[in-house]
Amino acid sequence: MWHFALRERMATELIGIAVVKGTYLYGTSHRGLPLRHIVPQGQEDKFGPVVARTADHLAWLQAKFGRYPFSVYGLHIYDGYTDALENQTLSLFSTNWFKLNANGQPGYETTMVHELTHQWFGDSVTPDNWQQAWLNEGPAVYYAGLYGEERGWSVFEDKMKTTYEKLDVVRAADGPPGLPKALGGTNIYDGGALVLYALSLQIGQRKFDRVMREWVRRFKDSTYTSEEFIAHTVDVTGDSSLDPFLRDRLFGALNPPMPGHPDWKAAA
């Protein structure tokens, strides 16, 4: 008989059950957080160096958000799965993710950072309903993009420009980032990141970092709405003009002009 107990608050969407043959690999973060990973049996040498990158990913994100919100973290790499998912404290990955890119770089680390970002945005701070999911996926895409840029694997501004050019068409088909017609899609993923990118350009990186850090601190172990994020941003910055600024980007039918990039245009 098996017994399972939750010692920390968890949204029901964040639990998964996998019945597999795997090997546990253990370690600690640079700050002493316990790490436990599960990799396919017989592939420990292949995936051991991959999961070992987690400590650096944690340090990079903790420098931005503060303390990791739970008591343990790790990766479950499973060859019977085809995607990646932010299960609380044990992110799930397909074995297919972990291939070098065309330049021989471990670009898959951006996906590792994406799912780890979710431990703050989505797991610790959880949407009140699925129309708020842009603030799960937007930060995950945003910080994964920044990480990839810092490692020299990509240019984040290029990704955001491409998203801007396409997002009017996406808004018309799937709804704007804050009012999606369905769960999942470019509107809440890259579109959500674009909202945050625009905000960072409007208020500057230092204020933006404070908005995001204070958000996960204030709303830890609770749910949120887009309205609360708008009010939070105005409160932290003291700038009431950010209320219509964010509303236009979250709920509007068309992309407003991008701060600092008046040349960016929507694709016809």
Side-chain angles (χ1 to χ4, degrees):
M1 180 180 295
W2 292 85
H3 297 275
F4 177 76
L6 295 174
R7 296 183 176 88
E8 295 163 311
R9 297 184 68 179
M10 178 187 285
T12 53
E13 60 161 354
L14 300 171
I15 190 170
I17 298 174
V19 182
V20 300
K21 291 183 178 180
T23 300
Y24 277 92
L25 301 177
Y26 295 95
T28 58
S29 75
H30 302 322
R31 294 186 180 182
L33 179 79
L35 300 176
R36 52 89 177 85
H37 312 282
I38 306 170
V39 302
Q41 283 188 356
Q43 299 186 57
E44 295 85 358
D45 290 344
K46 177 179 181 180
F47 290 112
V50 170
V51 300
R53 293 292 303 134
T54 303
D56 283 349
H57 299 161
L58 269 164
W60 190 81
L61 288 172
Q62 285 179 313
K64 292 176 168 32
F65 309 144
R67 180 182 177 274
Y68 173 75
F70 304 111
S71 59
V72 65
Y73 185 64
L75 276 62
H76 182 187
I77 300 175
Y78 172 43
D79 59 10
Y81 185 61
T82 59
D83 215 328
L85 190 65
E86 66 270 23
N87 290 344
Q88 188 165 309
T89 78
L90 190 65
S91 293
L92 180 63
F93 291 85
S94 165
T95 53
N96 293 329
W97 278 109
F98 303 100
K99 299 174 183 176
L100 300 179
N101 64 22
N103 296 318
Q105 301 162 330
Y108 55 77
E109 286 190 34
T110 60
T111 305
M112 296 168 70
V113 170
H114 179 114
E115 303 306 336
L116 179 52
T117 300
H118 275 310
Q119 301 300 310
W120 283 270
F121 293 89
D123 293 14
S124 174
V125 184
T126 304
D128 183 70
N129 60 65
W130 287 118
Q131 290 222 307
Q132 323 301 323
W134 74 273
L135 203 42
N136 286 17
E137 301 301 343
V141 172
Y142 180 90
Y143 289 103
L146 288 186
Y147 183 83
E149 182 170 73
E150 286 190 16
R151 302 288 289 184
W153 302 333
S154 58
V155 178
F156 188 52
E157 183 179 299
D158 291 348
K159 179 181 179 66
M160 292 292 92
K161 182 180 181 183
T162 299
T163 299
Y164 185 90
E165 291 170 347
K166 296 179 178 179
L167 197 58
D168 278 357
V169 173
V170 173
R171 285 173 186 262
D174 300 328
L179 291 172
K181 297 178 182 178
L183 178 62
T186 299
N187 52 344
I188 67 170
Y189 280 78
D190 294 0
L194 189 69
V195 172
L196 298 176
Y197 181 69
L199 179 61
S200 72
L201 294 178
Q202 182 73 5
I203 65 177
Q205 196 64 46
R206 181 175 294 182
K207 286 184 179 180
F208 176 79
D209 290 344
R210 185 178 169 215
V211 166
M212 302 304 279
R213 188 182 182 100
E214 285 296 301
W215 174 255
V216 294
R217 184 191 66 81
R218 286 182 175 182
F219 286 86
K220 184 179 185 297
D221 294 334
S222 63
T223 60
Y224 71 83
T225 65
S226 296
E227 292 291 338
E228 286 170 315
F229 182 77
I230 292 169
H232 165 81
T233 302
V234 170
D235 179 57
V236 169
T237 62
D239 184 352
S240 61
S241 72
L242 295 175
D243 184 299
F245 179 90
L246 285 170
R247 289 184 188 280
D248 287 348
R249 285 156 179 80
L250 285 171
F251 310 129
L254 299 174
N255 274 330
M258 178 59 66
H261 295 286
D263 56 314
W264 287 14
K265 305 295 182 185

